[in-house]
Amino acid sequence: MATGIKDKVAILGMGCSKFGERWDCGAEELMVEAYTEALADAGIETKQIQAAWLSTCFDEVNVGKSGLALSTTLRLPNIPVTRVENFCASGSEGFRGAVYAVAAGACDIAVAVGVEKLKDTGYGGLPASSRGTIGALVNPNMSAPGNFAQLASAYRAKHGVNKDDLKRAIAHVSVKSHANGAKNPKAHLQKEVTLEQVMNAPIVAEPLGLFDCCGVSDGAACAIVTTPEIARAMGKQNIVTVKALQLALSNGLESSHNSWDGSYFHTARIAAKRAYDEAGIRNPRDELSMIEVHDCFSITEFVTMEDLHISPEGGALKDVLDGFYDADGKIACQIDGGLKCFGHPIGASGIRMLYEMYLQLQGRAGPRQRNNPRLGLTHNLGGGPNANVCSVAIIGEYN
Amino acid sequence: MVGITAFGGYVPRLRLSRKAIAQANSWANPALASQGKFERSMCNWDEDSLTMAVEAARDCLTGVDRKAVDAICFASTTAPFVDRQNAGVIATATNLSENLSTLDIGASQRAGTSALLAGLAQVKAGEKAHALVVASDHRRSRAGSSAEMNNGDGAAAVLIGTSGVIAEYLGSATVAVDFVDHFRGEGEEFDYDWEERWIRDEGLSKIVPRAIKAALEKTGLAGDAVDHFAMPCTFGKMADQLAKGAGIKPAAVRDNLHAQMGESGTAHALVMLVAALEDAAPGQVIMVVSFGQGCDVLLFRTTEALKTLPARRGIKGHLANRREETNYMKFLSFNGLIIQEKGKRAEGDKATALSVLYRKKDMILGLIGGRCTVCGTLQFPKAAICVNPNCHALHSQEDHAFQDEPARIMSWSADYLTYTIDPPAHYGMVTFNEGGRFMTDFTDYEQGQVDVGMDVRLMFRIKEFDDQRGFRKYFWKAVPQRKEA
């Protein structure tokens, strides 16, 4: 009988590059930047690492389809390195590989590095990607904002919310994240914005305007994991362990069966429930201290508040406007600025979210530090509302 | 009795104001001003002669068992494929049987009536029971030309058979003369025309009467027996003069629809025939005349069965479904007549895996999905395992045709980021009322009026152009239905 991941794996060290338009860097330099910080934080040497995972998505503009980019760049001692990719949830997938390897007892120390160099593609947004041989013949030529924007149309119809009210609520989501990002020196965008600016920005995909969309950035993040016992033996204080690590993938229901109404993420609801069970959380609204969710677009964050079973169904609008998820709210959401301010270098984002939760749990988040946080959740989503990969991870203090 | 058993039509919803053409071009050609009246039909960017043909065929097949159709003849001089049978694409898109004879006919403005004669001959000979004849044209012309003013885009279809005949075929005559009023050489984009006065005086005036006379003699009819004289011609009063010369009543001369759509090439004789059938009472004689390197003349007499034909859009219905377009630049863009900045997102390789297209042809061209024989769930695409979470039966699905199923919008967006010829790209999830759904592009929508819950009609349209290889991808798009429609 499986017993779950809770408290079997500890985070030994983490690192995160400065995110942004890193014209000075390639993927290799970004990986080194995140890795060296993590290595110093862990207090170990490269030769102690026994297995590695590299998460990166747009391989054609980055580092190729294997783990060689990581092993070569970090001069890893000929250990197993696995490259993983699961759309925008790739970062969480890399972390999962490393955590499971340690939990399985296959190795004592493993590393996960996520990276994406997006700003060499020449695109303002995400580059247009292949839709596959059948997809190219049937799927609309959708952009990511156009895919996610559809949530708004379905949410409005389902909950009888008018266009302006929803637009205002999702604008609040972005205003809040920008306020948080302004306090984060590693964020790409470190500037506050006003509600008026968000509401009046040019439309990218109806009803999402420019400030409803996350930035496009380069970045890397890194996590080094081990067992709590080893971490303790190394003299580590304030040990942070993995409490839950869940991944739910669509199976075609949303895209082919009329039971889904398009206003929420079917997978997120499942992954969140499983994660709470795994972590032993009964009431997430009361027990979670903070969350980092996949705010690729403001509407995505908005509906995710319900999908994580924190806001009641139809209740996100009130919670968001009440400031429940603001930096000083009951559960801070995107306390680091989120994808909104970090941008979304695909392979790095999932690990970057964990980085902030880890810093907060260790009391090292500087001006963003929350008062005595105990549990942090990350939600990392790949794909679109009707077909996606949804990761929910929870980390917390080790007792 | 051999004759027409059903008819259908299609005219694109967009109508370009001729005044807009004249205004944009009169600096170079002031003479165009006199032609700047009324409007002409104009394909949306995702329409061509194939997509219009599919619509006309669907309209014609209203209430008809599609699997009973055993022949299809397609006429066009603007078919998108020079070597890939276009009729076969129409057959697949309209879910016809594969036990079917298929034929493309082109190379003359007379091709529409030639296809009609071919269909009639097949049925008359007893070789085929139900021959579908479709003619469609999306004619390109140089910016600021007279042809741009006179042409229109459109399609028409008739079904030929022996039972349930609504218009009996009385007979025909053809005169073949290599009279080159215009031509389009191999690989050329546009027609080259000779002087109009010569075409009128040496061509139409001398060749058409010979064919009309022969047809009347063959059928034993006098000119005044003709109730509907359907003859495409862009020269004013020419049709009236030819009718008069043949003893046909002036009132029988039909409107050539110049004011509403312009002349739709090889389709136009059939467009006018369909319009005549829409107006005709039982027992009336229709003469169809088509000129092009000679002349075809066909005669039909309507029957009582005309009254019981199920309702359809036809030419009249499509003419009524119109939206004025006054942006001449848009017309130029849609017809590839200007070089535009398309942005980086238009750069991707648009190659088609032909083996995939073949394997999935019913799904892609015919919008065939699945129906689970265990739980009854309709689903698109058809899959090995049923999508119903309470079923998941393996290999349980039979084909289900979705193209005529009632459907509505579940979610949508208007996307300014992605590349499309006519931004913003509208698309979304469409759900079928009886089950099944798919994400697809929208077309022929009113910007600002699209919303969740709107009914949609599915239409076969161009999905994407592969200009590098001269290929076109087709798929089904959703057309939001306005409330009053």
Side-chain angles (χ1 to χ4, degrees):
Chain A
M1 181 71 184
T3 54
I5 201 73
K6 186 179 180 183
D7 289 335
K8 289 177 181 167
V9 178
I11 298 175
L12 193 58
M14 289 198 79
C16 182
S17 75
K18 164 84 175 71
F19 278 39
E21 292 178 318
R22 298 292 302 269
W23 306 115
D24 58 326
C25 286
E28 293 78 6
E29 289 87 348
L30 293 165
M31 287 192 278
V32 169
E33 195 174 316
Y35 175 70
T36 49
E37 182 190 344
L39 203 63
D41 182 32
I44 60 166
E45 293 176 61
T46 294
K47 66 182 181 192
Q48 291 174 263
I49 293 171
Q50 295 164 313
W53 272 259
L54 168 64
S55 57
T56 189
C57 192
F58 287 99
D59 55 280
E60 286 77 5
V61 293
N62 274 301
V63 293
K65 285 183 185 287
S66 76
L68 279 170
L70 187 66
S71 62
T72 306
T73 302
L74 303 184
R75 308 293 188 213
L76 295 176
N78 306 109
I79 57 171
V81 182
T82 307
R83 174 184 176 272
V84 294
E85 162 187 342
N86 225 345
F87 282 169
C88 296
S90 297
S92 297
E93 201 60 89
F95 182 71
R96 204 164 69 100
V99 167
Y100 276 14
V102 167
C107 58
D108 290 331
I109 299 177
V111 63
V113 178
V115 67
E116 207 80 37
K117 175 68 196 175
L118 288 176
K119 297 305 298 187
D120 282 342
T121 63
Y123 282 93
L126 279 182
S129 55
S130 161
R131 288 169 283 168
T133 52
I134 296 178
L137 293 168
V138 299
N139 294 345
N141 191 18
M142 268 189 300
S143 70
N147 197 356
F148 284 88
Q150 294 178 55
L151 286 164
S153 67
Y155 190 93
R156 289 194 304 255
K158 182 181 187 179
H159 295 291
V161 178
N162 79 43
K163 217 171 172 174
D164 290 343
D165 288 347
L166 186 61
K167 177 83 180 167
R168 195 169 298 278
I170 60 176
H172 184 100
V173 165
S174 298
V175 170
K176 170 267 299 164
S177 294
H178 271 275
N180 294 348
K183 294 179 182 165
N184 195 332
K186 288 195 172 177
H188 177 178
L189 306 169
Q190 300 175 31
K191 214 171 153 185
E192 297 197 21
V193 296
T194 66
L195 194 74
E196 288 66 37
Q197 273 177 290
V198 179
M199 297 282 284
N200 297 323
I203 294 294
V204 175
E206 183 68 38
L208 305 178
L210 186 64
F211 288 104
D212 290 299
C213 306
C214 73
V216 177
S217 320
D218 306 321
C222 175
I224 298 172
V225 294
T226 186
T227 66
E229 295 73 24
I230 293 171
R232 190 164 274 169
M234 288 172 68
K236 293 287 175 187
Q237 305 293 315
N238 299 328
I239 292 171
V240 172
T241 52
V242 179
K243 306 294 183 185
L245 207 47
Q246 289 294 333
L247 190 69
L249 272 77
S250 297
N251 68 1
L253 178 126
E254 301 97 305
S255 55
S256 292
H257 193 257
N258 286 6
S259 56
W260 180 66
D261 63 24
S263 71
Y264 65 96
F265 289 91
H266 181 66
T267 51
R269 293 185 175 191
I270 293 166
K273 212 163 183 19
R274 284 190 199 140
Y276 297 143
D277 288 346
E278 189 170 36
I281 291 172
R282 291 211 179 86
N283 187 344
R285 195 175 170 100
D286 290 338
E287 295 176 58
L288 290 173
S289 314
M290 60 209 165
I291 56 179
E292 280 289 320
V293 304
H294 197 91
D295 58 329
C296 49
F297 303 99
S298 56
I299 188 66
T300 317
E301 176 174 327
F302 180 88
V303 303
T304 300
M305 299 303 99
E306 297 177 16
D307 296 337
L308 294 177
H309 312 287
I310 299 171
S311 291
E313 207 173 316
L317 195 116
K318 183 176 184 303
D319 279 345
V320 163
L321 293 177
D322 284 353
F324 184 86
Y325 299 105
D326 290 357
D328 57 356
K330 174 75 174 62
I331 298 179
C333 182
Q334 323 303 67
I335 189 72
D336 67 350
L339 297 178
K340 177 80 261 282
C341 295
F342 268 81
H344 182 24
I346 314 293
S349 290
I351 301 174
R352 182 226 93 221
M353 295 172 180
L354 287 162
Y355 176 74
E356 176 70 8
M357 297 293 94
Y358 170 76
L359 289 182
Q360 290 277 351
L361 288 163
Q362 294 213 328
R364 298 197 276 146
R368 306 180 308 282
Q369 184 61 47
R370 293 269 296 178
N371 186 28
N372 193 29
R374 293 188 55 252
L375 288 170
L377 175 147
T378 65
H379 158 270
N380 188 197
L381 185 85
N386 76 89
N388 57 72
V389 174
C390 182
S391 160
V392 174
I394 299 170
I395 62 173
E397 56 185 8
Y398 182 59
N399 302 312
Chain B
M1 186 196 293
V2 172
I4 296 167
T5 58
F7 61 79
Y10 181 75
V11 183
R13 180 162 166 263
L14 294 178
R15 309 296 154 79
L16 179 66
S17 149
R18 288 199 182 95
K19 198 174 165 189
I21 304 176
Q23 281 175 343
N25 291 287
S26 59
W27 64 274
N29 184 1
L32 281 177
S34 64
Q35 290 178 262
K37 297 186 194 97
F38 310 114
E39 58 193 21
R40 55 155 294 174
S41 56
M42 155 186 169
C43 278
N44 204 336
W45 72 264
D46 58 356
E47 294 186 286
D48 64 9
S49 56
L50 257 187
T51 68
M52 293 191 292
V54 168
E55 277 310 309
R58 289 174 77 196
D59 195 40
C60 181
L61 295 171
T62 303
V64 172
D65 172 14
R66 295 187 182 192
K67 297 298 178 199
V69 175
D70 54 1
I72 178 170
C73 305
F74 173 55
S76 182
T77 68
T78 57
F81 294 99
V82 176
D83 195 338
R84 172 197 179 183
Q85 199 178 46
N86 298 281
V89 179
I90 301 167
T92 311
T94 50
N95 301 153
L96 301 186
S97 160
E98 288 190 350
N99 298 316
L100 181 84
S101 73
T102 54
L103 181 64
D104 279 1
I105 299 177
S108 164
Q109 289 302 296
R110 196 150 54 84
T113 46
S114 300
L116 184 52
L117 287 167
L120 286 162
Q122 284 176 314
V123 174
K124 208 172 174 187
E127 283 179 19
K128 297 293 173 187
H130 304 280
L132 178 65
V133 176
V134 194
S136 176
D137 257 326
H138 173 209
R139 299 163 87 187
R140 290 180 72 232
S141 47
R142 287 190 178 84
S145 63
S146 198
E148 186 175 61
M149 281 287 189
N150 287 325
N151 291 352
D153 302 326
V158 292
L159 190 62
I160 309 297
T162 53
S163 60
V165 169
I166 58 166
E168 181 187 4
Y169 174 52
L170 302 176
S172 68
T174 294
V175 172
V177 184
D178 185 30
F179 179 82
V180 190
D181 55 343
H182 75 280
F183 66 90
R184 177 152 42 94
E186 186 187 3
E188 292 297 317
E189 284 192 79
F190 305 108
D191 293 350
Y192 182 83
D193 304 277
W194 206 251
E195 189 189 350
E196 288 184 358
R197 294 175 62 81
W198 173 72
I199 297 167
R200 189 186 63 198
D201 297 343
E202 279 298 301
L204 285 156
S205 300
K206 293 187 176 168
I207 297 168
V208 174
R210 288 166 57 194
I212 293 178
K213 186 163 179 276
L216 288 173
E217 279 173 10
K218 215 161 144 184
T219 54
L221 290 169
D224 64 1
V226 175
D227 299 292
H228 298 273
F229 180 73
M231 178 185 161
C233 184
T234 54
F235 299 132
K237 302 289 174 201
M238 187 77 233
D240 303 81
Q241 286 169 28
L242 291 167
K244 193 178 174 189
I248 295 166
K249 300 177 289 252
V253 179
R254 293 196 59 85
D255 176 7
N256 65 3
L257 305 175
H258 174 79
Q260 292 146 288
M261 66 177 284
E263 189 176 282
S264 57
T266 63
H268 211 60
L270 269 62
V271 165
M272 289 182 69
L273 167 62
V274 169
L277 287 166
E278 288 173 329
D279 288 340
Q284 291 194 320
V285 173
I286 300 172
M287 177 183 275
V288 184
V289 180
S290 180
F291 178 75
Q293 290 83 56
C295 183
D296 286 335
V297 175
L298 292 87
L299 283 151
F300 297 92
R301 182 184 284 118
T302 55
T303 73
E304 286 296 323
L306 184 62
K307 288 185 195 164
T308 54
L309 193 71
R312 62 206 57 220
R313 288 177 174 78
I315 292 299
K316 270 190 179 168
H318 282 104
L319 285 176
N321 178 28
R322 63 179 277 284
R323 180 172 174 278
E324 187 182 38
E325 182 59 72
T326 55
N327 189 339
Y328 178 69
M329 282 295 282
K330 206 177 239 190
F331 174 81
L332 294 184
S333 172
F334 287 7
N335 285 279
L337 296 169
I338 47 169
I339 298 168
Q340 278 180 291
E341 174 58 49
K342 293 177 178 175
K344 195 167 168 53
R345 286 179 189 278
E347 288 173 7
D349 191 335
K350 310 288 197 306
T352 295
L354 296 176
S355 47
V356 173
L357 177 60
Y358 174 70
R359 196 159 62 240
K360 299 286 182 186
K361 65 183 187 310
D362 292 341
M363 167 193 169
I364 294 164
L365 299 178
L367 204 70
I368 298 286
R371 181 191 162 274
C372 176
T373 54
V374 174
C375 73
T377 299
L378 299 180
Q379 49 209 283
F380 186 90
K382 187 177 167 185
I385 300 174
C386 175
V387 74
N388 177 358
N390 301 314
C391 177
H392 285 181
L394 178 66
H395 298 317
S396 63
Q397 294 177 43
E398 59 185 18
D399 283 354
H400 183 85
F402 277 100
Q403 60 179 259
D404 293 316
E405 293 279 356
R408 52 181 186 263
I409 297 171
M410 186 191 86
S411 64
W412 68 279
S413 183
D415 187 342
Y416 286 88
L417 182 62
T418 196
Y419 171 68
T420 172
I421 291 170
D422 187 19
H426 283 62
Y427 49 77
M429 184 75 91
V430 164
T431 63
F432 295 97
N433 298 357
E434 299 301 316
R437 55 175 48 182
F438 72 130
M439 184 83 80
T440 194
D441 291 306
F442 298 171
T443 189
D444 284 359
Y445 47 79
E446 281 298 328
Q447 195 172 340
Q449 291 180 25
V450 174
D451 211 350
V452 170
M454 276 179 99
D455 290 334
V456 297
R457 176 180 147 73
L458 296 167
M459 289 178 85
F460 184 77
R461 291 293 179 103
I462 297 167
K463 174 159 181 50
E464 205 164 66
F465 293 90
D466 176 2
D467 291 332
Q468 197 182 336
R469 302 172 187 83
F471 197 74
R472 291 177 192 187
K473 299 175 190 176
Y474 295 90
F475 190 52
W476 292 81
K477 299 187 183 180
V479 179
Q481 303 293 292
R482 284 159 299 153
K483 287 286 185 291
E484 68 273 17

